[in-house]
């Protein structure tokens, strides 16, 4: 499953200049918190929710355990569902269904537990279900059934034991709500002209197949599925497999289509999918695989599915070769949904996406949208083998599933777009992003113990950046030191051995070790990788070129925080690659202890040493001051002598070393001096990303004035350089990196107040207003220009962009407009916008939390969002559910500026006030926010004066 949010590179770095009244307004609004919180608490106390009856039982009973017993194993399901796409007399959308599951009895038992959540059952006699023979002529009678709502089981007690080695069949008839909660079998809506259209669709991962039908809902409980959908004859039904037949049948006086699908291969419940809709498709054939891209008819007819269709075939062929395994199914359907919680979901043969992750419109979508489409398709198609064909046994090893797909998505995208050099972007997009979290003591290892992950909320919490981005980074490092060829060989052996089965992560290490028999390693693959997967964090490798000493320590932003113990004492087995300015041949040195010495690292001036070539290793690098000075001198005189990706690394490492007090903050700032001459994307983006932390810490202080002046000085040459190359921003062409640096030039220049850039935005706005049917802004620049328009244009501009958002028919365009609306400097406008996020008629439910996060990134909006979240936490938690993947992002976004003792106290109070409600999948993010805040407080106290003096000195003569 791909991560849920796509944040524009331009909007993500936008700074907002406050009006003089903003601070006073923020202070006045803060008193609203207690009143609003009390109101919501009172209204919640008077609301009751109907629940299915459950028995009162002792906590040690089997049905009070979150994990299924191993006595029964499913073999095959037959599932028939009939969704009703118009509301019933009570105004509710529902579906009806029946299912039977044939299961095998591993151990004699008189108890059947099967997952069920929010389903109402048609009683069969006195019981919720019925039991039937398969192998034998008799079965035990049922003595009692009930729904155990806490652990989400249908419990069936029997008069005698099921016999070991026998098969049985359990049959159920049920009704469920086709809700708009984005989970299980749910309802998505869109407007076509003036008509509301309803789609019945699914999202089963991680634990929501049980909302669609009773099932053994754990990934190791693989079975086959025969799905039948009953649907209106004018709609199309899709499932994992092609249809076997479609017939018409009269039901309650109406004619319905009954579509029976081919039986699936053996697979996990979380990969099952079915959709009933008016969607249309474009299609092609890749050898014997039918490829179809589905979406709203308007989108498909406007050619928005063509790019996805163009890249899917090459990516599928690449993975067939990469895995040395044919695609296991006869078709690959990919569907863009108007409402979808994640970024995409790898359902086997029926992949579902947010529209912005699948559909692409040449007239509206940016190069960033294009990258998003091809990488997400790469991610989901990678899962069709790694995850679907071979599946991890339990969610504690999710990191291997999602981390692997997050790594090879770049390989698949590179196959589809070979001119982009997209593989290098992994360093910025994945590694450096996740290192910020992994440098906290509240981080966690990649792999959990199986008994640590039990509840649905705990499972959802595992879907975090550590699993996706650290997993990808560590596997990239592994592939690098083994070689891509050896990595692939071991991977192919693993897939062939465990096809249609379940594994644990050590199974992959064993097969990679077999493939690596001729690779020189300091120890075996398992020993090396255990250091990276079973302990949290990563090392900083420090080398002294005067002595040749090299050492490693656990890199933490705040080393005084208490951290969890490690069996490896936080030492790693580190593959250190290196070059010098006189020896450009890449060499590798294995650092296996805390401190070592390597004579080859003794280098005298004017020669320099550079570690972690191409940033293949998941660690930071520190040097003695003399080597730092030589590297900085190289950047300032002839930067091309250092590879582009390592120019970004020098900036990234220096800034983070300064935050962790390994080096002085002035050294980090000195790494940005060469940027006035730099024209490459990766160094610039690394600088912008790291200066954003300075913005967050100082945009409410005097530092931000001189900081903005310095950034304007550095970015203005870049703005002019690409303005000239693009004929004043009218011809934004070139490769991926070239287009991205053009976007960075405009977004940075506009957000930090370069007059020529703001004039560019104003001119575009005036042209657009004069002819509202023609948008003159190049699609690549829209995120940045829209934000500048809203930031400087007042209420008129906000209303104009809001109306364009409501009119938008291309989701990538709507996303840009929706995000830009958070750029307003006016508190009353932002407060009104916040209220819109609670109304799905204004902001789609799937977009609510990302909109709130965008408002929180605005210095004016952040305190408003903080009050809003505190006052509405119960509503938000109830509406979006504790298992929502977005809660961790929400908490992180609203607290990212916290750097005072008062804000720390408020955050601690928020935690205490809401212990009764809980924080669901945001629980760990809250602990990380507390740690970040304590770290920020100390860092700002120690560095604010130094930072102010440095920026002042750099800008005094300019």
């Amino acid at each position: 499953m791909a991560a849920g949010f796509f944040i524009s590179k331009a909007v993500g770095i936008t700074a907002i200049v406050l009006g003089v009244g903003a601070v006073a307004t923020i202070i006045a609004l803060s008193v609203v918190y207690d009143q609003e919180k009390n109101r919501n608490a009172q209204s919640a106390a008077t609301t009751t929710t109907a629940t299915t009856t459950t028995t009162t039982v002792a906590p040690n009973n089997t049905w009070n355990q979150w994990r299924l017993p191993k006595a029964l194993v499913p073999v095959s399901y037959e599932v028939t569902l009939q969704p009703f796409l118009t509301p019933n007399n009570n105004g509710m959308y529902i579906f009806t269904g029946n299912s039977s599951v044939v299961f095998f009895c591993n151990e004699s038992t008189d108890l059947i537990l099967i997952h069920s959540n929010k389903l109402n059952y048609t009683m069969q006699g006195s019981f919720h279900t019925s039991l039937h023979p398969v192998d034998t002529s008799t079965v035990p009678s049922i003595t009692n059934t009930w729904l155990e709502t806490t652990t989400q089981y249908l419990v069936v007690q029997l008069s005698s034991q099921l016999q070991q080695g026998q098969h049985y069949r359990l049959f159920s008839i049920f009704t469920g709500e086709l809700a708009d909660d984005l989970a299980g079998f749910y309802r998505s809506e869109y407007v076509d002209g003036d008509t509301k259209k309803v789609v019945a669709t699914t999202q089963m991962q991680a634990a929501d197949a049980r909302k669609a039908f009773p099932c053994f809902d754990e990934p190791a409980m693989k079975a086959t599925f025969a799905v039948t959908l009953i649907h209106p004859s004018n709609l199309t039904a899709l499932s994992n497999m092609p249809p076997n037949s479609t017939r018409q049948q009269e039901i309650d006086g109406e004619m319905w289509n009954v579509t029976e699908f081919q039986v699936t291969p053996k697979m996990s419940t979380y990969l099952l999918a079915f959709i009933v809709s008016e969607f249309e498709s474009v299609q092609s054939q890749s050898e014997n695989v039918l490829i179809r891209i589905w979406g709203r008819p308007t989108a498909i007819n406007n050619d928005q599915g063509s790019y996805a269709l163009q890249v899917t075939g090459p990516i599928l062929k690449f993975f067939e070769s990469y895995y040395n395994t044919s695609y296991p199914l006869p078709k690959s359907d990919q569907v863009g949904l108007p409402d979808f919680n994640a970024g995409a979901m790898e359902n086997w043969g029926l992949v579902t996406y947010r529209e912005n992750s699948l559909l692409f419109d040449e007239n509206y979508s940016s190069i960033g949208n294009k990258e998003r489409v091809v990488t997400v398709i790469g991610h989901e198609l990678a899962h069709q083998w790694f995850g679907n064909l071979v599946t991890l046994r339990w969610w504690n090893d999710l990191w291997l599933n999602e981390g692997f797909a997050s790594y090879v998505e770049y390989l698949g995208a590179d196959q589809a777009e070979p001119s982009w050099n997209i593989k290098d972007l992994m360093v910025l997009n994945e590694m450096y992003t996740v290192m910020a979290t992994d440098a906290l003591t509240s981080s966690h290892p990649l792999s959990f113990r199986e008994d640590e992950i039990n509840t649905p909320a705990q499972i959802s919490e595992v879907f975090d950046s550590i699993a996706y981005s650290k997993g990808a980074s560590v596997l990239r490092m592994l592939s690098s030191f083994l070689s891509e060829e050896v990595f692939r060989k071991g991977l192919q052996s693993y897939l062939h051995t465990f096809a249609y089965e379940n594994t644990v992560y050590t199974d992959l290490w064993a097969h990679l070790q077999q493939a690596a028999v001729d690779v020189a390693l300091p120890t075996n693959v398992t020993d090396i990788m255990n250091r990276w997967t079973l302990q949290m964090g990563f090392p900083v490798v420090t080398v002294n070129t005067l002595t040749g000493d090299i050492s490693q320590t656990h890199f933490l932003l705040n080393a005084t925080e208490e951290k969890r113990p490690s069996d490896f004492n936080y030492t790693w087995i580190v593959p250190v690659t290196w070059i010098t300015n006189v020896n450009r041949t890449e060499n590798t040195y294995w650092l296996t202890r805390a401190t070592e010495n390597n004579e080859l690292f003794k280098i005298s001036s004017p020669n320099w040493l550079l570690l972690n070539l191409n940033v293949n290793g998941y660690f930071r690098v520190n040097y003695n001051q003399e080597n730092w000075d030589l590297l900085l001198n190289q950047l300032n005189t002839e930067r091309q002598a250092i590879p582009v990706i390592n120019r970004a690394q020098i900036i990234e490492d220096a800034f983070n070393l300064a935050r962790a007090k390994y080096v002085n903050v002035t050294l980090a700032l000195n790494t940005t001096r060469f940027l006035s001459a730099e024209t490459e994307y990766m160094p610039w983006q690394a600088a912008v990303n790291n200066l954003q932390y300075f913005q967050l810490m100082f945009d409410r202080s005097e530092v931000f004035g001189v900081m903005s002046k310095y950034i304007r000085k550095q970015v203005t040459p870049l703005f002019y350089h690409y303005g000239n190359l693009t004929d004043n921003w009218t011809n934004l062409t070139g490769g991926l990196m070239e287009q991205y640096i053009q976007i960075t030039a405009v977004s940075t220049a506009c957000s930090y107040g370069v007059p020529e850039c703001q004039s560019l935005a104003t001119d575009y706005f005036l042209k657009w207003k004069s002819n509202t049917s023609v948008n003159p802004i190049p699609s690549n620049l829209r995120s940045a220009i829209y934000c500048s328009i809203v930031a400087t244009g007042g209420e008129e501009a906000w209303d104009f962009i809001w109306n364009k958002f409501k009119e938008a028919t291309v989701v990538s365009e709507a996303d840009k407009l929706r995000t830009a609306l958070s750029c307003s400097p006016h508190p009353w406008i932002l407060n009104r916008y916040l209220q819109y996020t609670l109304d799905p008629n204004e902001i789609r439910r799937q977009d609510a939390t990302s909109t709130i996060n965008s408002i929180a990134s605005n210095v004016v909006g952040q305190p408003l969002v903080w009050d809003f979240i505190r006052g509405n936490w119960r509503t938000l938690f109830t509406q979006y559910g504790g298992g929502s993947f977005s809660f961790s992002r929400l908490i992180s976004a609203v607290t990212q500026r916290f750097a005072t003792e008062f804000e720390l106290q408020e955050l601690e109070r928020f935690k205490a006030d809401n212990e009764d409600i809980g924080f669901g999948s945001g629980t760990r993010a809250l602990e990380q926010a507390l740690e970040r805040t304590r770290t920020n407080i100390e860092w700002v106290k120690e560095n604010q004066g130094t930072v102010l003096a440095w920026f002042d000195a750099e800008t005094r003569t300019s």
Side-chain angles (χ1 to χ4, degrees):
M1 180 162 58
F5 294 149
F6 168 66
I7 300 174
S8 159
K9 289 178 170 58
V11 171
I13 64 170
T14 299
I16 305 298
V17 180
L18 286 174
V20 292
V23 175
T25 308
I26 289 167
I27 294 170
L29 282 169
S30 66
V31 302
V32 173
Y33 161 58
D34 284 313
Q35 298 168 335
E36 188 170 7
K37 184 177 189 301
N38 289 337
R39 276 202 309 273
N40 281 293
Q42 290 165 5
S43 64
T46 60
T47 302
T48 59
T49 304
T51 59
T52 308
T53 303
T54 181
T55 60
T56 302
V57 289
N60 60 346
N61 281 330
T62 308
W63 48 81
N64 288 108
Q65 308 303 309
W66 287 99
R67 296 295 303 277
L68 285 167
K70 301 295 189 289
L72 307 177
V73 178
V75 175
S76 62
Y77 293 85
E78 294 180 2
V79 181
T80 299
L81 295 168
Q82 181 178 15
F84 294 86
L85 303 188
T86 55
N88 62 15
N89 293 334
N90 296 321
M92 181 180 289
Y93 291 84
I94 66 166
F95 63 90
T96 61
N98 64 76
S99 68
S100 67
V101 54
V102 173
F103 59 85
F104 178 75
C105 182
N106 269 331
E107 303 168 9
S108 296
T109 179
D110 60 359
L111 182 72
I112 300 172
L113 293 183
I114 188 167
H115 284 113
S116 176
N117 186 26
K118 300 182 180 178
L119 295 175
N120 296 314
Y121 287 80
T122 299
M123 303 301 283
Q124 300 177 54
S126 302
F127 306 114
H128 292 78
T129 188
S130 58
L131 185 64
H132 304 272
V134 175
D135 295 334
T136 62
S137 58
T138 60
V139 296
S141 60
I142 296 174
T143 60
N144 193 17
T145 63
W146 72 88
L147 295 170
E148 191 62 44
T149 56
T150 302
T151 46
Q152 302 178 352
Y153 288 130
L154 167 59
V155 185
V156 182
Q157 290 181 323
L158 305 172
S159 61
S160 61
Q161 301 271 317
L162 298 171
Q163 296 304 302
Q164 184 179 10
Q166 299 297 310
H167 290 84
Y168 301 89
R169 184 168 66 90
L170 193 71
F171 177 73
S172 308
I173 306 169
F174 49 86
T175 301
E177 183 183 0
L178 198 68
D180 60 352
D181 58 358
L182 312 179
F185 198 17
Y186 74 92
R187 179 178 90 252
S188 176
E189 298 176 352
Y190 65 95
V191 175
D192 184 11
D194 295 324
T195 305
K196 183 175 80 170
K197 303 290 186 179
V198 177
V199 179
T201 186
T202 55
Q203 171 59 31
M204 305 305 198
Q205 194 182 46
D208 284 314
R210 64 194 69 174
K211 280 188 66 191
F213 63 101
C215 55
F216 296 90
D217 200 11
E218 292 187 359
M221 296 288 186
K222 287 191 170 185
T224 63
F225 297 84
V227 174
T228 299
L229 293 177
I230 302 172
H231 56 97
S233 56
N234 63 321
L235 303 186
T236 299
L238 300 172
S239 190
N240 304 77
M241 299 296 288
N244 249 342
S245 65
T246 298
R247 68 180 190 277
Q248 287 206 321
Q249 181 174 329
E250 185 175 343
I251 303 174
D252 295 333
E254 292 185 38
M255 295 303 296
W256 293 76
N257 274 15
V258 179
T259 300
E260 297 179 3
F261 295 91
Q262 295 176 21
V263 177
T264 72
K266 185 180 174 185
M267 69 184 213
S268 303
T269 49
Y270 78 86
L271 296 171
L272 193 64
F274 21 87
I275 298 173
V276 174
S277 72
E278 293 185 26
F279 286 176
E280 295 181 2
S281 68
V282 290
Q283 69 180 58
S284 65
Q285 195 81 18
S286 178
E287 296 181 353
N288 60 339
V289 179
L290 173 64
I291 298 170
R292 295 183 294 191
I293 310 298
W294 295 84
R296 293 176 292 109
T298 301
I300 296 301
N301 292 334
N302 286 336
D303 213 28
Q304 292 178 32
S306 294
Y307 181 66
L309 189 67
Q310 171 190 323
V311 299
T312 295
I315 292 174
L316 269 179
K317 285 182 180 178
F318 167 76
F319 282 127
E320 285 187 316
S321 171
Y322 188 78
Y323 297 126
N324 192 25
T325 305
S326 297
Y327 177 71
L329 301 180
K331 73 174 180 71
S332 175
D333 280 324
Q334 301 185 90
V335 185
L337 294 167
D339 301 286
F340 195 69
N341 195 22
M345 179 61 212
E346 65 268 21
N347 315 299
W348 216 359
L350 181 58
V351 184
T352 46
Y353 296 79
R354 280 195 183 202
E355 285 190 348
N356 67 4
S357 299
L358 182 70
L359 304 181
F360 179 84
D361 189 303
E362 290 284 355
N363 297 316
Y364 290 93
S365 304
S366 67
I367 187 66
N369 298 130
K370 201 170 200 177
E371 186 213 327
R372 172 71 176 173
V373 169
V374 72
T375 53
V376 175
I377 290 175
H379 184 104
E380 304 311 326
L381 293 184
H383 276 312
Q384 304 301 296
W385 291 263
F386 199 101
N388 297 9
L389 181 65
V390 178
T391 310
L392 276 303
R393 185 173 70 193
W394 184 242
W395 302 108
N396 61 306
D397 284 337
L398 173 84
W399 76 269
L400 186 54
N401 191 26
E402 294 300 348
F404 181 86
S406 297
Y407 166 49
V408 300
E409 71 181 54
Y410 288 89
L411 308 186
D414 183 62
Q415 189 71 20
E417 295 286 1
S419 67
W420 281 8
N421 297 319
I422 194 172
K423 289 190 286 187
D424 288 347
L425 280 183
M426 250 202 77
V427 175
L428 284 179
N429 294 354
E430 312 296 338
M431 184 184 300
Y432 287 155
T433 301
V434 74
M435 277 181 158
T437 297
D438 208 20
L440 301 173
T441 60
S442 49
S443 184
H444 63 83
L446 278 169
S447 199
F448 294 91
R449 294 193 321 272
E450 190 167 340
D451 61 5
E452 288 184 276
I453 309 300
N454 292 292
T455 70
Q458 288 170 339
I459 294 168
S460 293
E461 198 174 6
V462 175
F463 286 80
D464 65 0
S465 62
I466 297 292
Y468 284 78
S469 297
K470 181 178 181 178
S473 302
V474 166
L475 289 170
R476 174 177 176 264
M477 177 177 66
L478 172 60
S479 175
S480 176
F481 70 70
L482 290 180
S483 81
E484 187 69 27
E485 181 183 354
V486 169
F487 185 79
R488 286 176 63 168
K489 183 179 177 183
L491 176 65
Q492 291 166 3
S493 171
Y494 166 84
L495 289 171
H496 295 162
T497 301
F498 297 108
Y500 304 103
E501 301 299 333
N502 294 84
T503 63
V504 293
Y505 72 94
T506 52
D507 293 322
L508 179 59
W509 299 162
H511 283 263
L512 289 173
Q513 183 63 51
Q514 292 171 14
V517 63
D518 294 325
V519 180
L521 299 174
T523 182
N524 61 61
V525 170
T526 298
D527 286 347
I528 295 171
M529 295 310 295
N530 279 348
R531 309 293 182 104
W532 298 96
T533 61
L534 300 182
Q535 59 183 352
M536 70 178 188
F538 56 90
V540 51
V541 173
T542 301
V543 65
N544 187 329
T545 57
L546 303 180
T547 65
D549 289 341
I550 182 169
S551 62
Q552 59 167 302
T553 56
H554 184 190
F555 182 85
L556 291 169
L557 290 176
N558 187 350
T560 63
E561 294 273 346
E562 185 177 349
K563 61 185 179 184
R564 68 168 73 198
S566 165
D567 291 340
F568 306 101
N569 199 28
Y570 288 105
T571 58
W572 288 262
I573 299 175
V574 189
V576 181
T577 55
W578 58 282
I579 60 169
T580 70
N581 57 313
V582 293
N583 181 5
R584 312 294 293 186
T585 303
E586 179 179 339
N587 298 279
T588 300
Y589 175 83
W590 283 94
L591 178 61
T592 61
R593 298 189 300 274
T595 303
E596 298 178 6
N597 183 276
N598 181 6
E599 283 292 319
L600 294 175
F601 291 161
K602 287 180 68 173
I603 296 172
S604 57
S605 178
N607 298 322
W608 47 257
L609 174 70
L610 181 69
L611 299 191
N612 203 9
L613 195 65
N614 296 319
V615 199
N616 283 320
Y618 184 70
F619 56 90
R620 295 206 183 279
V621 179
N622 191 16
Y623 304 98
N624 54 306
Q625 186 62 51
E626 291 80 0
N627 199 66
W628 273 118
D629 291 341
L630 290 166
L631 289 171
L632 293 182
N633 181 64
Q634 185 70 69
L635 289 175
N636 290 323
T637 54
E638 190 184 348
R639 66 186 185 280
Q640 290 87 350
I642 297 175
V644 170
I645 194 168
N646 287 101
R647 303 207 292 268
Q649 174 214 14
I650 288 170
I651 295 170
E652 172 73 22
D653 281 351
F655 270 87
N656 282 276
L657 290 166
R659 285 182 63 184
K661 305 179 189 177
Y662 284 90
V663 301
N664 193 288
V665 70
T666 56
L667 187 152
L669 291 168
N670 288 342
T671 66
T672 67
R673 284 176 170 158
F674 82 98
L675 291 175
S676 58
E678 180 63 85
T679 57
E680 294 284 351
Y681 170 68
M682 291 190 71
W684 255 107
Q685 195 59 41
V688 168
N689 291 344
N690 282 283
L691 286 167
Q692 187 181 22
Y693 176 73
F694 282 62
Q695 177 190 330
L696 292 170
M697 293 302 97
F698 298 128
D699 61 6
R700 297 172 289 178
S701 76
E702 62 177 323
V703 174
F704 193 61
V706 285
M707 174 181 164
S708 297
K709 187 176 180 182
Y710 173 74
I711 295 175
R712 286 196 295 272
K713 182 181 82 167
Q714 296 299 87
V715 78
T716 296
L718 185 74
F719 179 77
Y720 280 133
H721 173 77
Y722 281 105
N724 291 332
L725 284 182
T726 58
D727 296 327
N728 197 27
W729 307 104
T730 59
N731 184 25
L732 276 66
T733 57
L736 181 73
M737 300 293 188
E738 189 174 355
Q739 291 187 61
Y740 274 168
I741 186 59
Q742 294 164 10
I743 295 168
T744 296
V746 171
S747 58
T748 307
C750 279
S751 61
Y752 282 97
V754 172
E756 293 83 354
C757 190
Q758 293 184 333
S759 295
L760 180 71
T762 301
D763 290 345
Y764 276 133
F765 184 38
L766 293 174
K767 288 178 184 176
W768 197 6
K769 284 198 300 182
S770 68
N771 184 1
T772 59
S773 62
V774 178
N775 186 339
I777 306 168
S779 56
N780 276 0
L781 301 185
R782 287 181 182 178
S783 289
I785 298 298
Y786 289 168
C787 186
S788 185
I789 289 170
V790 171
T792 59
E795 182 182 4
E796 178 197 9
W798 198 95
D799 290 343
F800 181 89
I801 297 297
W802 172 257
N803 289 331
K804 289 296 180 184
F805 164 68
K806 298 298 283 186
E807 296 169 2
T809 57
V810 177
V811 70
S812 59
E813 176 71 1
D815 286 343
K816 295 183 183 72
L817 294 161
R818 176 176 54 80
T819 305
L821 289 164
S822 65
C823 295
S824 173
H826 303 295
W828 71 269
I829 289 178
L830 294 175
N831 226 21
R832 180 182 65 183
Y833 195 28
L834 273 174
Q835 297 304 317
Y836 288 172
T837 64
L838 295 178
D839 183 354
N841 294 316
E842 302 288 7
I843 301 293
R844 283 188 178 274
R845 186 184 293 267
Q846 67 172 12
D847 297 324
T849 50
S850 65
T851 303
I852 295 170
N853 294 350
S854 296
I855 299 171
S857 70
N858 179 338
V859 66
V860 183
Q862 183 269 325
L864 306 179
V865 173
W866 179 226
D867 287 344
F868 174 81
I869 286 177
R870 290 186 295 167
N872 292 281
W873 183 252
R874 186 178 297 272
T875 301
L876 290 166
F877 195 81
T878 303
Q879 186 163 331
Y880 297 103
S884 170
F885 302 127
S886 56
F887 271 97
S888 59
R889 298 186 186 97
L890 188 64
I891 290 171
S892 298
V894 74
T895 59
Q896 61 184 338
R897 273 189 178 82
F898 283 11
T900 67
E901 293 288 349
F902 178 69
E903 287 166 331
L904 177 60
Q905 292 166 13
E906 285 189 319
L907 189 54
E908 289 171 337
R909 181 185 170 192
F910 171 68
K911 178 182 177 182
D913 285 350
N914 294 287
E915 292 283 7
D916 61 321
I917 307 168
F919 304 95
S921 61
T923 302
R924 184 177 291 111
L926 181 58
E927 295 304 317
Q928 292 170 346
L930 286 162
E931 183 182 346
R932 279 196 185 97
T933 302
R934 289 190 291 266
T935 303
N936 291 344
I937 290 168
E938 188 174 343
W939 189 86
V940 169
K941 284 179 182 176
E942 293 182 2
N943 291 286
Q944 182 166 346
T946 304
V947 171
L948 177 62
W950 190 91
F951 280 127
D952 186 58
E954 291 292 316
T955 57
R956 195 173 298 139
T957 58
S958 57

